């Protein structure tokens, strides 16, 4: 993340938090952490994403086994809100998965249990992946 910020001329945290590419930068960071988790365990990352023509998008789809996937949303915001779970609800409707475990990686510092699912801090990406896909 430091390299991309340097190339974009982002020098401080305050500049990053107000930059128009903040969401894309954060999403790229979280995805790289997901890939690193699997590579460090000598596993081929079973990671995918999905976006359809209506604009429904899931940032990360972890394939646990054939036919069993776990969607994860990535949000740069430091405060949790209900919109963080919208894409996960859409995914549940599209796939007809009931009792879906809903996970979000966000820009805050605490891991939080919410009614809609569990929100993991950016610092705890490996903890989330260990829960979903222990290797």
């Amino acid at each position: 993340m430091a390299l991309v910020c340097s190339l974009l001329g982002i020098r401080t945290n305050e500049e990053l938090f107000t930059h128009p590419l903040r969401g894309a930068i954060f999403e790229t960071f979280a995805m790289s952490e997901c890939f690193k988790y699997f590579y460090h365990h000598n596993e081929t990352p079973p990671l995918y994403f999905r976006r359809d023509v209506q604009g429904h998008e899931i940032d990360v789809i972890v394939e646990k086994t054939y036919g069993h996937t776990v969607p994860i949303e990535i949000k740069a915001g430091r405060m949790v809100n209900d919109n963080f779970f919208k894409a996960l609800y859409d995914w549940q409707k599209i796939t007809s998965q009931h009792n879906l475990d809903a996970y979000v990686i966000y820009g805050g510092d605490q891991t939080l249990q919410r009614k809609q699912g569990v929100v993991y801090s950016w610092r705890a990406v490996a903890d989330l992946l260990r829960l979903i896909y222990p290797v």
Side-chain angles (χ1 to χ4, degrees):
M1 193 154 90
L3 177 60
V4 73
C5 288
S6 177
L7 293 172
L8 290 171
I10 300 169
R11 304 283 182 239
T12 67
N13 287 341
E14 292 76 28
E15 288 177 10
L16 175 60
F17 291 126
T18 59
H19 198 279
L21 293 176
R22 177 184 82 150
I25 293 167
F26 184 77
E27 191 172 306
T28 300
F29 163 76
M31 282 299 303
S32 69
E33 291 298 303
C34 291
F35 275 93
K36 285 194 300 189
Y37 172 81
F38 288 99
Y39 286 134
H40 284 254
H41 291 92
N42 205 26
E43 293 275 330
T44 301
L47 303 174
Y48 305 92
F49 73 95
R50 180 178 191 277
R51 182 183 171 112
D52 65 18
V53 294
Q54 287 86 23
H56 299 115
E57 179 180 292
I58 293 292
D59 297 323
V60 184
I61 301 169
V62 180
E63 185 177 36
K64 290 182 74 165
T65 59
Y66 179 76
H68 185 186
T69 58
V70 178
I72 303 170
E73 266 300 287
I74 301 170
K75 299 294 184 186
R78 294 186 285 180
M79 301 292 287
V80 179
N81 67 60
D82 290 341
N83 289 336
F84 281 17
F85 294 92
K86 183 182 179 331
L88 297 169
Y89 293 140
D90 292 341
W91 176 257
Q92 186 174 7
K93 290 176 195 170
I94 292 167
T95 62
S96 299
Q97 288 182 335
H98 302 289
N99 300 321
L100 178 69
D101 292 327
Y103 299 108
V104 174
I105 297 169
Y106 83 121
D109 291 326
Q110 298 177 359
T111 296
L112 307 166
Q113 175 68 49
R114 299 291 292 256
K115 182 177 89 173
Q116 304 94 326
V118 184
V119 184
Y120 279 81
S121 166
W122 62 274
R123 299 173 192 260
V125 173
D127 296 337
L128 169 58
L129 293 171
R130 241 186 319 279
L131 173 72
I132 294 171
Y133 200 101
V135 288

